[in-house]
């Protein structure tokens, strides 16, 4: 059977953990190295510093972050999912408020260390929210929207847009800070690719003597179809069946585990699929 949605309390707990980690990352690694993270977080910090330096006005980070996320949340509410948007607003609110409330402290003085480990922590925090079917707001809204529409992992596209924003930060303030911020964003994107694989695809080639049972697992576990090929195993010159299917990256371990349970002798080849055209089932956001 398809996995059931997480209970509300689990989603709230994951969001609270992810948002809290994101805020801790902001008041430690990000501020210690003067970084500009990508997305609306970095844009909020950039606007905040511009107002402070050129106008002499201090605007709380939470006010800027929540304002910028309002439009993205409205689009998300309309085109992705109502609960997804509401839980994302919860994540943004917790992160924004804690960022203003928590005191700034330094974990490492080296900006390169802050960029690398801060980026990894940012990827972990974002993935926790995404696993709760929410986001940390900003360009995550955009990346999820693009992924839902195109069926492709859009985080690299967002990375390119963030680089443009960081170039503006480099012109206004310091190229050194901008370049370290690019390292931060790159580490965040790579961590996300590893920890959150819903919009990545995996091709399965399964040679088995129990094609019916194997296809039942694929259908009931992922709601995906499959194609059956009949052939001959040349080692023993016996008839064999091969099932071809494509599933989401976050389904692959469960499918392989259950296939091995019904057919321990199945031969399973897993391949990464970079491009996919055609109908492909995606669990809708709520």
């Amino acid at each position: 059977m398809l996995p059931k949605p997480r209970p509300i309390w689990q989603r709230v707990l994951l969001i609270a953990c992810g948002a809290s980690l994101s805020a801790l990352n902001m008041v430690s690694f990000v501020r210690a190295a003067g970084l500009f993270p990508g997305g609306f977080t970095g844009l909020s910090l950039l606007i905040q510093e511009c107002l402070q330096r050129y106008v002499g006005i201090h605007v709380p980070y939470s006010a800027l972050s929540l304002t910028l996320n309002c439009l993205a949340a409205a689009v998300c509410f309309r085109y992705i999912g109502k609960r997804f948007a509401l839980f994302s607003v919860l994540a943004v609110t917790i992160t924004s408020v804690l960022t203003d409330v928590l005191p700034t402290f330094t974990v490492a003085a080296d900006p390169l260390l802050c960029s690398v480990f801060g980026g990894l922590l940012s990827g972990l925090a974002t993935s926790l929210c995404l696993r709760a079917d929410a986001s940390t707001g900003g360009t995550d809204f955009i990346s999820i929207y693009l992924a839902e529409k195109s069926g492709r992992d859009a985080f690299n596209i967002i990375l390119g847009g963030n680089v443009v924003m960081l170039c503006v930060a480099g012109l206004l303030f310091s190229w050194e800070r901008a370049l370290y911020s690019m390292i931060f964003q790159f580490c965040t994107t790579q961590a996300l690719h590893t920890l959150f694989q819903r919009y990545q695809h995996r091709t399965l080639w399964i040679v088995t003597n129990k094609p019916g049972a194997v296809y039942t697992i694929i259908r009931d576990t992922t709601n995906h179809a499959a194609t059956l090929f009949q052939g001959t195993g040349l080692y023993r010159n016996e008839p064999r069946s091969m099932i071809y299917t494509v599933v989401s990256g976050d389904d692959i371990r469960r499918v392989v585990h259950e296939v091995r349970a019904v057919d321990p002798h199945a031969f399973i080849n897993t391949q990464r699929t970079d491009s996919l055209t055609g109908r492909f089932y995606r669990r809708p956001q709520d």
Side-chain angles (χ1 to χ4, degrees):
M1 297 179 63
L2 290 173
K4 296 180 180 179
R6 294 181 187 273
I8 298 279
W9 69 268
Q10 286 188 8
R11 295 177 70 175
V12 172
L13 181 61
L14 282 172
I15 289 168
C17 291
S20 299
L21 282 177
S22 182
L24 284 173
N25 190 30
M26 289 286 292
V27 300
S28 56
F29 291 111
V30 173
R31 285 182 175 171
L35 301 175
F36 294 106
F40 287 3
T41 299
L43 184 59
S44 298
L45 291 173
L46 181 61
I47 295 173
Q48 185 184 44
E49 187 161 342
C50 285
L51 292 174
Q52 182 73 39
R53 178 174 298 191
Y54 298 112
V55 185
I57 300 175
H58 175 73
V59 179
Y61 168 80
S62 56
L64 293 170
S65 178
L66 291 172
T67 300
L68 290 174
N69 277 285
C70 281
L71 179 59
V75 174
C76 176
F77 189 89
R78 172 66 176 83
Y79 293 104
I80 299 179
K82 296 179 176 61
R83 285 193 178 184
F84 179 86
L86 293 175
F87 279 121
S88 298
V89 169
L90 174 63
V92 172
T93 302
I94 294 174
T95 302
S96 301
V97 173
L98 288 180
T99 299
D100 280 338
V101 171
L102 294 175
T104 301
F105 62 95
T106 301
V107 176
D110 188 346
L112 181 58
L113 289 176
C114 290
S115 301
V116 173
F117 287 97
L120 295 177
L121 185 58
S122 175
L124 173 61
T126 302
S127 68
L128 288 176
C129 292
L130 291 172
R131 287 183 179 277
D133 290 330
S135 78
T136 54
T139 50
D140 284 347
F141 283 142
I142 301 172
S143 62
I144 295 296
Y145 175 77
L146 293 175
E148 290 285 339
K149 292 300 181 182
S150 66
R152 301 178 61 184
D153 190 326
F155 290 113
N156 281 332
I157 299 175
I158 300 303
L159 174 61
N162 287 329
V163 168
V164 174
M165 187 269 290
L166 293 174
C167 288
V168 175
L171 290 171
L172 292 175
F173 300 109
S174 165
W175 281 108
E176 183 174 324
R177 291 173 63 186
L179 293 174
Y180 277 127
S181 298
M182 291 179 190
I183 295 174
F184 176 97
Q185 190 60 33
F186 176 79
C187 291
T188 298
T189 303
Q190 297 310 306
L192 275 175
H193 282 159
T194 302
L195 298 173
F196 185 74
Q197 300 182 357
R198 178 175 301 171
Y199 297 107
Q200 299 176 33
H201 304 122
R202 296 291 185 270
T203 297
L204 281 171
W205 301 89
I206 305 172
V207 180
T208 177
N209 287 326
K210 301 178 180 179
V214 170
Y215 171 64
T216 298
I217 288 173
I218 294 171
R219 182 194 61 201
D220 294 347
T221 304
T222 69
N223 204 35
H224 289 296
T227 301
L228 176 65
F229 297 91
Q230 300 291 350
T232 302
L234 296 180
Y235 183 74
R236 295 182 178 178
N237 199 33
E238 296 177 342
R240 301 298 300 271
S241 300
M242 183 174 68
I243 293 177
Y244 161 80
T245 189
V246 181
V247 301
S248 298
D250 56 356
D251 289 330
I252 192 69
R253 289 185 179 179
R254 186 169 67 255
V255 172
V256 170
H257 174 75
E258 296 194 19
V259 168
R260 297 293 294 176
V262 298
D263 185 3
H265 302 292
F267 183 83
I268 305 172
N269 181 20
T270 304
Q271 295 177 320
R272 180 173 178 174
T273 303
D274 294 325
S275 180
L276 184 66
T277 302
R279 294 200 310 168
F280 184 83
Y281 173 79
R282 297 178 185 85
R283 180 170 59 86
Q285 300 286 357
D286 59 359

